[in-house]
Amino acid sequence: MKVFDLLEPLLKKLDFDSDFTLYGNLFVNLLVLMILAYAIDYLAKKVLIIGLAIVATYTKSTFDDFLVANKTAKYIAHLVPLYFISIKIPIVLDDFVYWENLFGKSVKIFIIILSLYIVRSVFNSLKDYLKTLPKYNDKPIDSYIQVIMIVLWIYALLSIILLLFDTKKSSLLTAFGSISALIILVFRDTVLGFVASIQVTVNDMVRIGDWITVDKFGADGEVEEINLATVKVRNFDNTTSTIPTYSLISDSFRNWRGMINSDGRRIKRHILIKGATVRFVTNEELESFKRIQFVTSYIDKRKLDIDKFNIANNIDKSLYVNGRNMTNLGLFRKYIQKYIETHPGINKDMHLLVRHLQPTEKGIPLEIYCFSKDKKWENYEYIMADIFDHIIASVPYFDLELFEVQHVKAEKLNLLDID
């Protein structure tokens, strides 16, 4: 006797007609099957969820903790009643061939989809676990998992189509080959994103946590996520920019990782000196400039070298343009150099120079090029502002003027009159 045919003999003894007996027995059997499946599902969830939680509590690895968080045990538990139903459906629907075929296929489709959810939860757990490891927390793991899941979903879709229409695999693959161009067109961004993700990782172009600047998309901030199709950037104004992954290999962008990993952050800024205020310095003025401590020793050494050259070459010094002489701009440039060299916020082991740029209609650019020790944004800005505050305030002491005050006569300071 069949396991689910308990009601049929009773209905026959009560002289019910064959149709009522058949459908009544079917209804009761389906009801019993549903109750048993629900009970099995409930027990399976209790056993697996609680069991996995206990295992996660006593193990040192955090991977099983992520399995619990992603509900992997719950999805696996659902497979048990589905498997039970797939076995019992042929028995319950033995006299209903059409419905047996339909319900059998439906259960198999549910099993396929549920298996994908199980695989996805395992991969999500793996992703979360790898992100806790320093070796992998800056890698685009999301991209690879998305690619794998896309392949699995395509395979599942093919399996469902084969199951529904009883189609041979060779026929289906032939059909897909015929429309491959359309498939590539539809999944263009996915294909480009996948290729870009591989190139970005292999060439180590971008990591999660990198500060990048992409002018085309208005992105300037830290990379939070690298997916198959997009890169998510948290800008410094707390807005979010989404950039196509393939744009990182097709367009130019700036990655600040080298600066962050280096020993300093570059300061490269200039001031504009009014050209008309640049002049030679007299010997009397040199004595007054010696009171500026950063250039005292420089003036003594430089003056000695200049005097030797002028005497050796019999230079007529009735005009300062003859021979070699010091200028107020040259002294100011040397002063800035010495000031920066003694500044506590500057890395002395990296490039440090003060140079002239090409003169312009707005004046002579005097550029300061150095590196701050502190690379943190607010501290870097403070160091740079502190340096230029001092430099700008020092300009009048060398009888120079900034371009911006060329229409307003700056008060010149006569160092000889300073007490």
Side-chain angles (χ1 to χ4, degrees):
M1 179 181 291
K2 298 175 183 177
V3 177
F4 288 90
D5 283 348
L6 301 177
L7 185 64
E8 185 176 0
L10 177 61
L11 293 177
K12 287 181 178 179
K13 288 182 179 180
L14 296 175
D15 293 330
F16 285 102
D17 59 64
S18 58
D19 289 339
F20 183 84
T21 301
L22 183 64
Y23 286 103
N25 183 61
L26 174 63
F27 175 77
V28 173
N29 287 340
L30 289 175
L31 182 61
V32 171
L33 182 63
M34 291 175 60
I35 293 173
L36 289 175
Y38 178 80
I40 293 172
D41 181 68
Y42 179 81
L43 291 174
K45 284 193 295 184
K46 286 292 184 181
V47 172
L48 290 176
I49 292 175
I50 295 175
L52 184 58
I54 293 173
V55 171
T57 304
Y58 289 97
T59 55
K60 295 181 179 179
S61 174
T62 58
F63 177 67
D64 42 22
D65 297 322
F66 290 117
L67 289 175
V68 174
N70 286 286
K71 302 179 180 179
T72 306
K74 178 181 177 182
Y75 293 132
I76 295 176
H78 288 320
L79 275 180
V80 180
L82 283 176
Y83 178 72
F84 172 76
I85 292 173
S86 66
I87 295 176
K88 298 303 178 183
I89 277 292
I91 299 175
V92 174
L93 299 176
D94 185 34
D95 297 323
F96 302 86
V97 179
Y98 174 78
W99 291 107
E100 177 187 345
N101 185 46
L102 181 61
F103 274 96
K105 290 181 178 180
S106 300
V107 172
K108 291 178 181 178
I109 290 173
F110 273 113
I111 291 175
I112 292 172
I113 295 174
L114 185 58
S115 299
L116 283 175
Y117 274 90
I118 294 172
V119 173
R120 188 184 69 173
S121 68
V122 172
F123 276 125
N124 286 338
S125 302
L126 180 63
K127 174 189 69 176
D128 295 337
Y129 173 69
L130 291 178
K131 285 184 176 181
T132 63
L133 304 178
K135 184 178 179 180
Y136 298 99
N137 59 8
D138 58 352
K139 299 296 185 294
I141 302 171
D142 293 331
S143 300
Y144 302 131
I145 291 179
Q146 286 176 347
V147 170
I148 295 173
M149 288 308 303
I150 288 174
V151 172
L152 291 177
W153 273 106
I154 293 175
Y155 180 78
L157 180 62
L158 293 176
S159 301
I160 291 173
I161 293 175
L162 291 172
L163 183 63
L164 286 175
F165 300 101
D166 296 322
T167 308
K168 294 181 179 179
K169 291 183 179 180
S170 58
S171 301
L172 189 62
L173 292 176
T174 302
F176 270 92
S178 303
I179 60 172
S180 58
L182 179 61
I183 293 174
I184 293 174
L185 181 63
V186 172
F187 293 101
R188 173 182 174 274
D189 289 341
T190 302
V191 174
L192 289 175
F194 174 58
V195 174
S197 296
I198 294 176
Q199 289 185 307
V200 164
T201 303
V202 171
N203 298 322
D204 199 21
M205 298 169 63
V206 178
R207 302 174 188 169
I208 295 174
D210 281 355
W211 169 17
I212 66 171
T213 301
V214 189
D215 296 330
K216 180 178 179 181
F217 298 95
D220 185 18
E222 292 186 357
V223 177
E224 286 192 335
E225 190 176 307
I226 302 177
N227 291 323
L228 186 62
T230 60
V231 175
K232 183 179 178 182
V233 178
R234 172 71 65 178
N235 299 314
F236 292 119
D237 58 359
N238 285 327
T239 59
T240 301
S241 296
T242 302
I243 306 169
T245 305
Y246 60 81
S247 68
L248 295 180
I249 60 175
S250 62
D251 299 318
S252 63
F253 70 97
R254 182 180 300 173
N255 192 330
W256 297 86
R257 188 200 311 159
M259 179 273 294
I260 294 173
N261 294 337
S262 69
D263 295 327
R265 184 169 179 178
R266 188 182 70 175
I267 296 175
K268 184 183 178 183
R269 184 178 291 184
H270 67 266
I271 59 174
L272 293 169
I273 300 296
K274 186 178 178 181
T277 62
V278 180
R279 60 177 179 79
F280 294 117
V281 179
T282 65
N283 290 330
E284 292 76 13
E285 288 176 321
L286 285 176
E287 293 301 319
S288 65
F289 279 124
K290 284 184 181 180
R291 298 177 63 185
I292 302 176
Q293 294 179 348
F294 280 140
V295 293
T296 301
S297 61
Y298 170 78
I299 291 175
D300 289 335
K301 182 178 179 182
R302 183 70 171 166
K303 188 175 186 304
L304 184 61
D305 292 339
I306 290 174
D307 289 343
K308 284 182 180 180
F309 174 86
N310 290 335
I311 293 172
N313 290 276
N314 196 24
I315 301 297
D316 179 11
K317 294 306 296 176
S318 60
L319 292 176
Y320 274 95
V321 74
N322 293 330
R324 298 175 64 187
N325 296 279
M326 281 184 272
T327 64
N328 57 347
L329 182 58
L331 289 174
F332 182 52
R333 180 165 49 84
K334 191 63 179 179
Y335 170 80
I336 296 175
Q337 178 91 19
K338 290 293 185 179
Y339 174 76
I340 294 176
E341 287 176 354
T342 59
H343 196 286
I346 298 301
N347 190 333
K348 315 305 186 301
D349 297 326
M350 302 184 74
H351 290 297
L352 191 158
L353 59 91
V354 181
R355 62 175 181 169
H356 290 175
L357 300 181
Q358 179 68 32
T360 68
E361 69 279 2
K362 294 183 179 180
I364 303 173
L366 191 62
E367 184 181 78
I368 289 83
Y369 188 102
C370 57
F371 291 82
S372 67
K373 290 180 180 178
D374 198 326
K375 295 169 286 185
K376 193 175 181 180
W377 187 19
E378 54 266 34
N379 298 336
Y380 161 80
E381 292 289 347
Y382 175 81
I383 293 171
M384 184 164 56
D386 180 64
I387 290 173
F388 277 87
D389 286 348
H390 184 89
I391 290 173
I392 292 171
S394 302
V395 171
Y397 285 85
F398 292 84
D399 203 18
L400 295 167
E401 292 181 16
L402 294 174
F403 170 77
E404 61 190 12
V405 295
Q406 62 178 328
H407 298 298
V408 180
K409 187 66 174 179
E411 182 181 355
K412 297 181 180 179
L413 302 179
N414 190 340
L415 294 176
L416 293 174
D417 297 334
I418 297 177
D419 294 328

